[in-house]
Amino acid sequence: MSRHLFLLLCMVFPVAQATEKTNANDARDLAYSLGASLGERLRQDVPDLEIQALVEGLQQAYLGKPLALEDERIERILAEHQAQLTAQAAPAQDVAALKTEQKFLSDEKGRPGVQQLPDGILLTELKPGSGAKAGPHGKVQVLYVGRLPDGTVFDSNHQAQWFNLDSVIDGWRSALPQMPVGAKWRLVIPSALAYGAEGAGDVIPPFTPLVFEIELLGAAT
């Protein structure tokens, strides 16, 4: 959204207008102007957008109504769209990294016993669990090993640790509330739900999917 559009959102029209009709016209003109500005930006950034679906989503979100899509699906779609935009403007090495990631995820999806969660995370159950589950903003106690696609361990713990789900990567925040205590899962997390185009220092390169083996020992809401 442009700086001009943000300024429009912050404007306060003078109250000393001649009539109530004029005030109503000003309010409508403001809404129309915001829509025109947003429409111009979207026409440039997202050609062939389904306008009716855009209006529906805008109305439901603006009025605080229940949304037609789950939050996880919205986040995944927006992340994928952002990844596409990034790829279009990315230098050659980033394009190569994205292609490498896509091939890795495709190969992993074909492994026996793999399930794909709605946000694109690939799950393999290594051990079932039957205990409680964490709330979406709860806490988890885990043992884990994190690997890069080539098998290199970049992080692990040898003693169980508690983590607030609000403080971990998106992939953990999405998958772990679905995991019962006692379970051990293998998760393949796309880069869009991990460290994305930025990576993490010298340890995790940009556009790197991550592989975790996680054992859930405790959960709290």
Side-chain angles (χ1 to χ4, degrees):
M1 186 180 293
S2 68
R3 182 173 180 271
H4 176 65
L5 188 51
F6 276 119
L7 289 176
L8 281 175
L9 289 169
C10 297
M11 288 178 65
V12 178
F13 280 87
V15 296
Q17 301 294 331
T19 66
E20 182 177 348
K21 181 179 179 180
T22 302
N23 287 333
N25 286 340
D26 284 346
R28 184 185 184 283
D29 289 349
L30 171 60
Y32 184 88
S33 299
L34 290 172
S37 180
L38 179 60
E40 174 67 22
R41 178 64 180 270
L42 289 173
R43 182 176 63 82
Q44 297 174 12
D45 292 349
V46 196
D48 303 321
L49 191 66
E50 293 190 15
I51 300 299
Q52 186 57 46
L54 170 69
V55 172
E56 181 182 350
L58 178 64
Q59 287 179 331
Q60 290 174 346
Y62 186 82
L63 296 175
K65 295 183 177 180
L67 301 181
L69 300 178
E70 294 181 353
D71 290 345
E72 292 80 3
R73 177 162 171 76
I74 291 175
E75 290 178 5
R76 178 172 63 85
I77 290 172
L78 293 178
E80 290 175 351
H81 175 67
Q82 184 58 48
Q84 291 176 355
L85 294 179
T86 301
Q88 293 171 4
Q93 65 268 26
D94 287 351
V95 173
L98 283 165
K99 290 182 178 179
T100 299
E101 176 181 17
Q102 290 169 0
K103 183 179 186 307
F104 177 76
L105 294 174
S106 178
D107 291 345
E108 287 290 319
K109 190 175 179 180
R111 288 168 57 113
V114 171
Q115 307 171 47
Q116 184 171 14
L117 301 180
D119 53 10
I121 294 173
L122 303 179
L123 159 66
T124 305
E125 185 181 67
L126 304 178
K127 185 177 73 171
S130 58
K133 296 181 180 180
H137 304 287
K139 298 169 62 177
V140 292
Q141 185 187 37
V142 296
L143 288 170
Y144 71 93
V145 178
R147 292 185 172 88
L148 302 179
D150 65 3
T152 301
V153 175
F154 68 87
D155 193 13
S156 64
N157 67 349
H158 301 290
Q159 294 183 337
Q161 290 178 257
W162 283 96
F163 292 94
N164 290 316
L165 288 177
D166 288 336
S167 66
V168 297
I169 61 173
D170 289 346
W172 276 40
R173 189 157 58 242
S174 174
L176 293 191
Q178 304 178 54
M179 188 178 187
V181 169
K184 185 175 182 179
W185 287 0
R186 181 179 186 269
L187 299 176
V188 179
I189 298 177
S191 65
L193 299 175
Y195 295 98
E198 300 298 324
D202 298 328
V203 179
I204 300 174
F207 303 111
T208 299
L210 303 179
V211 181
F212 287 94
E213 289 185 6
I214 303 174
E215 184 173 4
L216 185 62
L217 305 178
T221 58

